[in-house]
Amino acid sequence: MDLEIIGILVLWTFLFGYVMIASIDFGAGFFNAYSEFTHKNHIISNIIQRYLSPVWEVTNVFLVFFFVGIVGFFPSSAFYYGTTLLVPVGIAVILLGIRGAYYAFATYGKNPAKHYTFLYGATGLLLPASLSIVLTISEGGFITMVNNAPVLDYWKLFTSPLTWSIVLLSITSLLYISAVFLTWYANKANDKKASNLLRKYALIWAFPTMITALGIMVELRAHNPTHFANLLNLWWMFAISFLFFLGTVWLLWKGKKFGIAFSLLVGQFAFAFYGYGFSHYPYLLYPYLTIYDGFTNEAMAISLIIAFILGLALLLPSLYLLMKLFLFNKTYIEGKNPSSKGVPSK
Amino acid sequence: MINEEAVHYSRILTEVTLSFHIIYATIGVGIPLFIMIAQWVGIRRNDEHYILLARRWTRGYAITVAVGVVTGTAIGLLLSLLWPNFMEVAGHIIALPLFMETFAFFFEAIFLGIYLYTWDRFDNQFKHLLLLVPVAIGAAFSAVFITTVNAFMNSPQGFEILNNELINVNPIEAMFNPSMPTKVSHVVATAFMTAAFILASIAAYRMVKGSKHIYHKKALHLTVTVGLVFSIASLIIGDFSGKYLAQYQPEKLAAAEWHFETSENAPLILMGQLTDDNEVRYALEIPSMLSILAYGNPSAEVIGLDQFSEDEIPPLYIHYLFDIMVGIGTLLIIVAAIYWLGIRRRWKFIKSKAFLWLLVFSGPLCMIAIESGWWLNEVGRQPWVLHGIMKTAEGATSSNQVELMLWLFTGLYVVLGIGSVIVLTRMFKKNPIERELAERNQ
Ligand code: HDD
Ligand code: HEM
Ligand code: HEM
């Protein structure tokens, strides 16, 4: 396999990891704020305390890994994307800052103020919107070269239906992913009330997710026919993804086997995500940058890959330990453990 | 093609972001060591005071780390957003340590999450302490790797340039550049030193405010003793950093020392003021000392600013930054040494309010030294972003929205800065040690 392909696969995998766990995090924030708003008391805030607080820094590192990695493997992407993305990504960083502050000041320092909970919830929807713009831009047509420097056409970007359908998809799917996961988690915690409420949310958001996904296909066909044709060639991946989707919805409907429902959901998004990624190949940015002309030198590529393998050897066992303690430990998630309420308990 | 305004605002935004991040990053590198020592002593001696020290420090630490993570993520992205041309080149040559840094973060973040939430889950306390080891290692290695990148910017090597193309890139050679050994060790040693004095400040402050509890005395003794060790280490390594500069970045050293003419027996100039035609006034001069600092030999020749063209000389105000850093370093060694001797010899005055106040200021002073040191290092590299290879202005973005971003980010840092101070003070005011001890003993 080409080094270029190994590089992009590694990065795409980490991006997928980020999309999944960040969706859970962002969505939980939104549901939390929403239930506060509708006075459904603190059904969800317990789960946020117990599951999200210990892992939010890890979630963040997935993102850091992705953007450090992409500059490492594909230095030219710094030139094209760095110059043009200042505003959308800058805003995303500030929103991430607000979320970090919530964890730092509200949950570590305990009593979160009400308006802060709303702000935290709102960032959960704004973040996917500002981050997903990167995917829109990668489809080409929004960046032009002026005096050898890339320039982003904001007007065109914000009036394009493609932009808005991608934003919508990112929001609906994040709510869906998050609701399915939290249903499972609440069920494991034996919290029937929370589990039922979240199951309802999951079912509500399932179909909008599908519809917005189809919407993107339609928009893409007009916007970037090459990419659209590549997508069609990979139709079977999207078909598998759809079958997984049906499986999740069916299990949720029946109200059983939430663990399997969540695994199917991961499968659904994995097939769709990689299908989209493969069909994007070889472009990082239509039509200026492919993974081949933006790639780093061979010596750097090899050393990055070696570092990656060594890093994984260190990381996977540690991640396993983290999951074992906070995701699969019954006394912890049920909140029976004395240290599950805050940092560090008295 | 260079957009002057974008360069200007990119500089300010970079300076603001890094100067803010480094406060939390330094604390983040240093404090785990002290939590580890306190918890270890506590378990070994079965002394509840030390265990509580570890717990209380950890609570504060969780908050500073969170701010460190947020600002660090901002820098990581801003580097590509504001300096795309620089990052494109840097990506080719020095991406390896940046990439490894993310693994260090990963490692730190995972175990920190576990450590924070498992205080009472182990019967054997040593097991819990073990979880802190990867946190400390991860934090220290983040500093090592990122400082390696910065060292590379000061003394780039490990590649060749042919017709505007980079060839023969050797990532390992780029990492182990001449500036790396002194820079990395100085940064790590000063981080431990700073953490020590910040924790000492807190204990001293409680004592000044009238607390007679033995808990604070134990804390002060532990932190000042370890602080003394690291401040001496910082001085020694700092001396080596000067020798590195003399050899590889003589213009930085010359600008920091206001050394205009190349000469032997060069004197060291302390403080003072510069007239319009570069005459030094009101300064303290130590004969031959600069030659000793630069080469360890009083008669050695030290290169002066006369060897460099006007547009390659860094701003001369870095002289003050250097003096502030060295002054604070020396002062704190003296203060810590007096304390240490005073405890052995039972000198009365080290318990006096005046001396305690000195210790209260040691932490903030250390932070000022850290900021001065970094500004010295970064401003002293100007006009280069990659020494001798790429000028700062060439590395910058051409975007027109940098000013807007500057305001937004400054707002974020103000909120984070004020928020962290409020949360930290509230956390410890509401729950003073006397009360926590009483509750635990019920
Ligand atoms: C608590 C903080 C602190 C203290 C007390 C000192 N330093 Fe320092 N110094 C730093 C914190 C620092 C730093 C923040 O860590 C820097 C900035 C960049 C770097 O590499 O380290 C630094 C840089 C730095 C440099 C520039 C290196 C370069 O640009 O490549 C020199 C020559 C020294 N130091 C020398 C000293 C000496 C002789 C000291 C005597 C006591 C000293 N430092 C105390
Ligand atoms: C965390 C401590 C640091 C501080 C406080 C700091 C501070 C500064 C300052 C004050 C400048 C501006 C110099 C000038 O324009 O006159 C600067 C420049 C720069 N620094 Fe650092 N720096 C730090 C570490 C680093 C590291 C580790 C890197 C690289 C990985 C880095 C990358 C840069 C770049 C790219 C510039 C060029 C932009 C400019 O000149 O403003 N800095 N830094
Ligand atoms: C331009 C330079 C820098 C960049 C790009 C950078 C990047 C980052 C990033 C992305 C994070 C967050 C990681 C996470 O998500 O967990 C972070 C945190 C951190 N940084 Fe920086 N950083 C820089 C300068 C420094 C310096 C100079 C030091 C040390 C002397 C340092 C030490 C740390 C540490 C220890 C953390 C972990 C958080 C904490 O413990 O407070 N960083 N940095």
Side-chain angles (χ1 to χ4, degrees), chain A residues 80-101:
Chain A
Y80 286 99
Y81 282 113
T83 311
T84 47
L85 288 178
L86 179 64
V87 176
V89 174
I91 290 175
V93 175
I94 289 176
L95 295 171
L96 280 173
I98 295 173
R99 293 183 76 78

Side-chain angles (χ1 to χ4, degrees), chain A residues 10-11 14 49-50 53-58 60-65 67-69 71-73 75-91 93-94 96-101 103-109 111 116 147-150 154 294-297 299-300 303-305 307-312 314-315 318-319 321-322 324-326 329 331-332 337-346, chain B residues 1 13 54-56 58-59 62-67 69-70 72-78 80-85 87-103 105-122 131 166 168-172 397-405 407-409 412 415-421 423 426-427 430-431 435-436 439-440:
Chain A
V10 165
L11 294 174
F14 269 79
Q49 290 250 323
R50 256 179 267 140
S53 295
V55 301
W56 77 271
E57 281 164 18
V58 180
N60 193 60
V61 186
F62 272 88
L63 177 67
V64 174
F65 189 99
F67 68 68
V68 169
V71 174
F73 279 107
S76 304
S77 61
F79 173 67
Y80 286 99
Y81 282 113
T83 311
T84 47
L85 288 178
L86 179 64
V87 176
V89 174
I91 290 175
V93 175
I94 289 176
L96 280 173
I98 295 173
R99 293 183 76 78
Y103 286 116
F105 303 158
T107 60
Y108 293 165
N111 53 353
Y116 214 99
N147 291 334
N148 277 333
Y154 282 97
F295 199 57
T296 187
N297 54 80
M300 180 58 79
S303 47
L304 288 179
I305 290 170
F308 176 74
I309 292 170
L310 295 180
L312 268 196
L314 206 64
L315 221 59
S318 326
L319 271 175
L321 186 64
L322 183 76
K324 204 178 121 192
L325 286 169
F326 296 114
N329 183 306
T331 45
Y332 179 80
N337 185 280
S339 61
S340 52
K341 290 218 186 64
V343 177
S345 76
K346 287 196 220 144
Chain B
M1 218 186 74
L13 182 48
R55 284 196 160 208
R56 289 169 70 90
T58 306
R59 268 179 233 155
I63 290 176
T64 56
V65 168
V67 181
V69 168
V70 167
T73 309
I75 301 181
L77 278 163
L78 284 179
S80 297
L81 297 174
L82 299 176
W83 310 98
N85 306 316
M87 283 307 274
E88 187 176 6
V89 176
H92 275 287
I93 319 165
I94 198 70
L96 182 61
L98 269 177
F99 192 63
M100 293 201 284
E101 193 198 6
T102 58
F103 281 104
F105 287 145
F106 244 130
F107 206 49
E108 181 194 352
I110 291 173
F111 282 93
L112 183 62
I114 299 178
Y115 181 78
L116 285 179
Y117 286 82
T118 50
W119 268 92
D120 297 308
R121 266 165 99 174
F122 295 100
L131 289 172
L166 294 165
N168 288 340
V169 172
N170 182 340
I172 302 294
T397 180
S398 49
S399 168
N400 281 322
Q401 281 95 10
V402 189
E403 190 186 357
L404 171 71
M405 287 298 125
W407 293 117
L408 289 179
F409 274 95
L412 175 69
V415 171
L416 288 175
I418 296 179
S420 54
V421 171
V423 170
R426 207 196 296 150
M427 184 186 259
K430 262 201 201 151
N431 189 15
R435 203 172 83 208
E436 191 164 357
E439 275 173 14
R440 280 173 74 85

